[in-house]
Amino acid sequence: MSEVQDFIRQTVTDHPVVLFMKGSAQFPQCGFSGRAVQILRELGVKKLVTVNVLEDQEVREGIKQFSNWPTIPQLYVKGEFIGGADIMTEMAGNGELKTVLEEAGAFND
C-alpha cells in the first residue's frame, strides 16, 4: 500500500464529507468540480473537506485507483465513495444525497 493510498484512506476516514476535485471550493478549475461544490452548498453542507488533485499528480492518479473510478470530482461520505458530479446531480434530484449527508452529520457546525 502506497503513501498516497494511505493519505486518501486517512482523509476519507477522518472527515465526514470529502470531495476530491480540480481546484478548490472557492475556485473550482473544471465545470464538473464546480457543479459538485454547488450541489453540496445548495444542500447546506457545513463539514466539507476538499482535496485539490491538481496540486499532486500522485493523488490525482491514486484517487482513481482507490475508488476504481476514472473521473474527478469524487465525493466520499463517511469513508464511502458516492460518485462524481453526474451521480451527485441525480442523487440530489431524488433526495438521496441529502439523506446520506444528513446521516453523516454534514450539516452540523
Side-chain angles (χ1 to χ4, degrees):
M1 194 57 58
S2 73
E3 283 180 37
V4 169
Q5 296 295 314
D6 289 342
F7 164 76
I8 293 167
R9 180 172 289 102
Q10 189 76 48
T11 302
V12 301
T13 305
D14 287 354
H15 306 284
V17 184
V18 181
L19 183 66
F20 287 83
M21 63 180 290
K22 294 177 180 173
S24 66
Q26 293 74 26
F27 299 105
Q29 292 185 302
C30 90
F32 294 108
S33 291
R35 179 75 191 118
V37 169
Q38 184 183 357
I39 290 167
L40 295 171
R41 283 206 177 119
E42 285 171 2
L43 289 171
V45 171
K46 300 270 189 276
K47 294 182 177 175
L48 174 62
V49 171
T50 60
V51 177
N52 182 354
V53 300
L54 299 177
E55 290 177 348
D56 189 329
Q57 185 62 36
E58 285 185 36
V59 171
R60 186 176 183 171
E61 293 309 312
I63 193 63
K64 295 174 188 178
Q65 294 164 354
F66 186 82
S67 62
N68 203 18
W69 189 260
T71 58
I72 293 163
Q74 293 187 13
L75 177 67
Y76 289 80
V77 178
K78 282 203 143 174
E80 190 180 329
F81 175 59
I82 302 298
D86 293 349
I87 291 168
M88 289 173 67
T89 300
E90 187 181 310
M91 287 178 71
N94 67 22
E96 213 180 325
L97 187 57
K98 186 168 188 178
T99 303
V100 168
L101 291 164
E102 278 173 349
E103 288 169 2
F107 304 115
N108 309 332
D109 283 327

